[in-house]
Structures are given as C-alpha cells and as structure tokens.
Amino acid sequence: MPQEDPGAGPVPEGSRITVCEVGPRDGFQIEAAFIPTAKKIEIANALFASGIRHMQVTSFVSPRAVPQLADAEEVLAGIDRPEGAVVSALIPNLRGAERAAACGVDAVHTVVSASETHNLKNVNRAIDASLKDFEAVFALLDRAGVAVEGGIATAFGCPFEGVVPPGQVARIAKRYQELGARSVGLGDTTGMATPATVRAAVRAIRDEAPGLGIKLHFHNTRGVGLACVMTGLAEGVTEYDAAVGGLGGCPFAAGATGNICTEDLVYLLNESGYDTGIDLEKLIAAAKLTQEIIGRELPGQVIKSGPRLRRYDPGLTATAAG
C-alpha cells in the first residue's frame, strides 16, 4: 500500500522507488481497436514477470463511456498475481466501487479533477458534488478492506481553464485525507506539468494536509515528463505511475497523449542510483509484446535502444570508408 510521504527533502540514492504500471488501464482505454481480454491478461502477466508489483489493471467505468475496459471483471479474474503484488483499479463512483470490491482488488484509485470544466467532461459532475459522492464510496471500501488512493486529475493545468492554482489541488487533497485516504495521486492529464508546477503542488499539499502520501502521474506530451520525475525525487516523492511503451491518454481531455514510459522511467531510476526491483530487460520484453499486440510502434525510447551498456558485435556494423 502507499506509504505516508515524509516530505523530508530529496530522496537519497539507494532508496526503493515504487513504480505503478498503469498501461493496462490508462493505456488501453484510449486505443481505437478492442484489445482481446486474453491479450490484456498476457500483457499484465508479462509486466508482473519483470518485477512490477504495483499495477492499475483496469477501470470500473461505464462500458458505454470506455468500451475498451468493458471486460474488467474477466481481466482481474484471469491475471496471475505474484506474491506481494498490489492490484488496483480506477473507479468513478459508488457503482464502480461495488464492482471493484466484488473482484477482490487490493486498492482503488478514485478520480476528481482540479478543474471544474474537466470534471464535468470527465464524470459529468461538479467537483464538490464528486467529493460528496465519495463519502459513500469511502465507507463501502472501508468495510470491504480495500485501500483508497484519491486521484486528482488536471492537477498541473487544464486544457479548458489553463492554470490550476496549487491551493485548489491542496484543498481537494485535504478533503480526501478527511475522507480517509492515506495518499493522493496527482494526475498530469494532458502533460501540462513542469518542474515548477510540480514543486508548487507538492509543497501546497504538504502544508495543507501533513502526513498525506503523494504519488505523481505524468504524461510526456511536451517532453518533460522525466524532468518532472526528477523534481518529484528532489521533493521527496517516492511513488510514480507510468505506462508500458508510453501508452495512454484521456478520452475526455483535448490534447491528451501518452504517459511517461515505464521502461524509460525504470532506466532513469536505475541509472540514477535508485532501487525499483524491476528487471529492465524483462520489462523491455513486455513492452515489445505490448507493441506487437497493439499493432503499432510505441513512443518509448528504451524499447528501441535497450540498456545503456548493451553490446553489439563490431563485425556486424559497417565501417566508415575513406
């Protein structure tokens, strides 16, 4: 489960960083062609085999709104959960919470936007109405013994409203804490996060809701997703979402593109002296499997280049002439 975020300065080298794989949910939801249930299960199991132990496997949303995830129950029933794995799902409302609890997930991720306009587009509710609705959701999940992470979408900017004040993000985080959440996940829905906005949001939450854990969820829309991760590490944050191959995007947000890539994130963390518990070579293999099943080239970089010290046979490489 997510731990309380101490906010005690930069994360020391050698620390364990939690990488939560969200590709099977945030990645698959926006794909045009339905991915067969058996293939979704195959991808999830390959990701688990790489050492990933936190995975957002699906979402309990209306099949009419997100048809790609209409098979949520079947996927959860079919995956092979390694010992110690934390399997989670996104839920938008009480009905989603009931379905998730019945499937035996370890945790759920709720979602409310920091932007009124995006919240209306995403769940057809005002922010305060969504938070009020979550009272029943938290009560049900507490009885079921399911942990709740409070998700805040458009936490670093909104494609409809522009700037999202850090104080607004902190207000929602505080309400989540009052409801019983041990952590919040800050979602960079359309890749508007910058190091400055990340720093401001994290510090505002720590001032408003001391002791509340923080997870960061970045998209790479403008190419600074991993720079934002480094800012998060400098601010003491140890939990990050990422999607295999760089999949992803919100179907209800203009300009949304993929998440930061899991292989690229793990490469960065490993090469920066942190411990992820993930085998990069096996993760690359899982990414290639995903790419094959999706049927198009994915935007990740490490899937193409491999680890930094990969060796090549000089005899198979052309030599310059002249």
Side-chain angles (χ1 to χ4, degrees), residues 83-149:
E83 184 177 353
V86 176
V87 172
S88 64
L90 181 141
I91 61 163
N93 51 33
L94 184 61
R95 175 58 184 144
E98 291 169 345
R99 291 174 63 197
C103 286
V105 299
D106 303 302
V108 300
H109 180 90
T110 60
V111 61
V112 64
S113 300
S115 148
E116 287 284 2
T117 307
H118 185 262
N119 206 60
L120 287 168
K121 289 291 184 183
N122 200 38
V123 294
N124 200 24
R125 302 284 281 168
I127 291 172
D128 287 340
S130 286
L131 291 170
K132 180 68 176 176
D133 291 345
F134 286 151
E135 292 176 6
V137 169
F138 273 75
L140 182 149
L141 293 169
D142 182 62
R143 293 192 298 271
V146 178
V148 185
E149 177 185 272

Side-chain angles (χ1 to χ4, degrees), residues 57-246:
V57 175
T58 189
S59 177
F60 290 97
V61 295
S62 165
R64 293 186 303 277
V66 186
Q68 269 289 9
L69 303 182
D71 56 357
E73 283 87 354
E74 291 83 359
V75 171
L76 281 165
I79 60 174
D80 297 326
R81 302 190 189 188
E83 184 177 353
V86 176
V87 172
S88 64
L90 181 141
I91 61 163
N93 51 33
L94 184 61
R95 175 58 184 144
E98 291 169 345
R99 291 174 63 197
C103 286
V105 299
D106 303 302
V108 300
H109 180 90
T110 60
V111 61
V112 64
S113 300
S115 148
E116 287 284 2
T117 307
H118 185 262
N119 206 60
L120 287 168
K121 289 291 184 183
N122 200 38
V123 294
N124 200 24
R125 302 284 281 168
I127 291 172
D128 287 340
S130 286
L131 291 170
K132 180 68 176 176
D133 291 345
F134 286 151
E135 292 176 6
V137 169
F138 273 75
L140 182 149
L141 293 169
D142 182 62
R143 293 192 298 271
V146 178
V148 185
E149 177 185 272
I152 305 176
T154 62
F156 307 105
C158 171
F160 308 115
E161 297 182 9
V163 173
V164 172
Q168 167 74 343
V169 179
R171 178 184 78 84
I172 295 170
K174 179 65 174 178
R175 182 65 188 127
Y176 269 135
Q177 188 178 46
E178 292 167 350
L179 288 169
R182 290 188 59 199
S183 65
V184 289
L186 304 187
D188 180 24
T189 310
T190 59
M192 296 175 73
T194 66
T197 60
V198 172
R199 189 178 303 113
V202 169
R203 293 182 181 183
I205 291 172
R206 289 197 175 125
D207 287 344
E208 185 70 21
L212 184 64
I214 298 173
K215 177 192 284 185
L216 297 174
H217 174 114
F218 298 122
H219 287 242
N220 205 40
T221 313
R222 293 167 177 86
V224 296
L226 294 182
C228 290
V229 169
M230 297 305 291
T231 299
L233 292 167
E235 293 296 314
V237 178
T238 61
E239 300 191 37
Y240 298 87
D241 289 346
V244 60

Side-chain angles (χ1 to χ4, degrees), residues 267 270-271 280-281 284 302 305-313:
Y267 172 80
N270 289 349
E271 292 291 335
L280 184 59
E281 292 279 12
I284 292 170
V302 174
S305 60
R308 179 172 62 90
L309 296 179
R310 173 171 289 175
R311 295 290 189 266
Y312 297 90
D313 184 348

